[in-house]
Amino acid sequence: MSDTFRGTAKSPTEQRTDHMILVLTICILFTFAVGGFVIAVNSYEDQNRNLINNPQQLVVDDFALAETTLPQALGEASFVWESESGCWGPLCTEQGYIEIVNYNIPQVLDLCIDDNYLAEWYVDILVYGGYNPWGGYIDVWQKGQHQGTIRIVWSWLGKGDCCAYDYWRATFYAEEPICLESNQYPDVAPWELNHPADQMTIPGKCVNFEIMTYWTGCVPGEEPSQDFTIVPTQSY
């Protein structure tokens, strides 16, 4: 008994037709793919040309992206614009003061003033307000003539109870010894001395000190406009 086969059979003409359809389909798909790639390349080149001609557009686009995209999506920390702040001033502060709190200046002067004698002199001053002394001198006058100059040296002793308080000490030295004349009547014992009853000292021989001290409201030498001087009044 012979085997019987069932199936379909195509003629050679039908097979060629199917093959041509498959080839045409592949060509059409390839054409679309190439065309899409060309369009994408042209679009990218146009975009690059626009950025070159208008570089600010890149900044604008970045800001637009930042406004519409969450900071977490950009991978950066978020920030908040601070409000504008102003300045109120300049404002004045209260008036400070400078006062003598202690001193050792003899009421009766030796007739020879030298460094050994001046080593005993000092003046302690309380300064309230951040004023800084940095120099000074004393001109010594007798009988209308300049007898010599005493220099002033300042030393900072420390702070007071408040940060605005400072204690300073003035010490003294002479450029050269200063010789004075006595304005008192001499001791003539055992003889007797007669002088006008209303005159306890010899007129015209008192010693006068002309004092000049240098101060600044800042650091000495940094800002001359903050410098000032202090001199005693006639009634001091």
Side-chain angles (χ1 to χ4, degrees):
M1 180 180 292
S2 62
D3 295 331
T4 302
F5 294 93
R6 296 176 179 264
T8 58
K10 292 184 179 181
S11 64
T13 301
E14 291 177 347
Q15 292 179 359
R16 285 194 299 269
T17 301
D18 294 339
H19 180 71
M20 292 179 63
I21 292 173
L22 178 61
V23 172
L24 288 175
T25 300
I26 293 174
C27 291
I28 292 172
L29 292 176
F30 179 76
T31 302
F32 277 115
V34 173
F37 177 76
V38 172
I39 293 173
V41 171
N42 291 335
S43 176
Y44 178 76
E45 291 179 353
D46 292 340
Q47 183 178 6
N48 286 341
R49 284 193 294 269
N50 290 335
L51 291 177
I52 294 174
N53 296 330
N54 188 14
Q56 295 179 351
Q57 185 63 35
L58 178 60
V59 177
V60 174
D61 292 342
D62 287 343
F63 273 108
L65 178 61
E67 292 177 355
T68 57
T69 307
L70 293 176
Q72 291 80 1
L74 296 176
E76 297 179 357
S78 61
F79 64 93
V80 178
W81 290 106
E82 295 181 357
S83 61
E84 295 183 358
S85 61
C87 178
W88 184 20
L91 302 175
C92 289
T93 57
E94 67 172 305
Q95 184 179 24
Y97 58 84
I98 300 171
E99 68 175 37
I100 296 175
V101 295
N102 194 18
Y103 66 92
N104 182 35
I105 301 292
Q107 297 296 316
V108 178
L109 298 175
D110 284 2
L111 298 182
C112 182
I113 299 177
D114 56 15
D115 286 346
N116 291 330
Y117 179 54
L118 292 174
E120 303 174 0
W121 295 20
Y122 66 85
V123 177
D124 291 338
I125 293 179
L126 172 62
V127 178
Y128 178 69
Y131 315 110
N132 296 306
W134 58 272
Y137 62 88
I138 301 173
D139 280 336
V140 181
W141 292 80
Q142 187 178 41
K143 298 192 303 183
Q145 298 178 350
H146 181 250
Q147 303 299 323
T149 300
I150 300 172
R151 297 295 177 181
I152 303 174
V153 178
W154 294 96
S155 301
W156 184 72
L157 299 181
K159 286 286 185 182
D161 295 336
C162 172
C163 60
Y165 290 97
D166 291 279
Y167 285 100
W168 292 86
R169 169 167 289 188
T171 54
F172 308 89
Y173 72 93
E175 294 179 339
E176 57 184 18
I178 300 173
C179 296
L180 302 175
E181 296 181 7
S182 177
N183 73 320
Q184 300 189 48
Y185 293 103
D187 181 3
V188 295
W191 296 286
E192 182 179 350
L193 176 68
N194 293 319
H195 59 79
D198 60 342
Q199 291 183 186
M200 301 304 297
T201 58
I202 302 174
K205 298 187 72 176
C206 287
V207 175
N208 293 320
F209 282 173
E210 288 188 358
I211 306 173
M212 175 73 71
T213 56
Y214 300 120
W215 297 76
T216 182
C218 191
V219 178
E222 284 193 359
E223 185 53 57
S225 64
Q226 295 196 9
D227 294 347
F228 58 93
T229 59
I230 298 177
V231 297
T233 61
Q234 292 294 331
S235 61
Y236 178 75

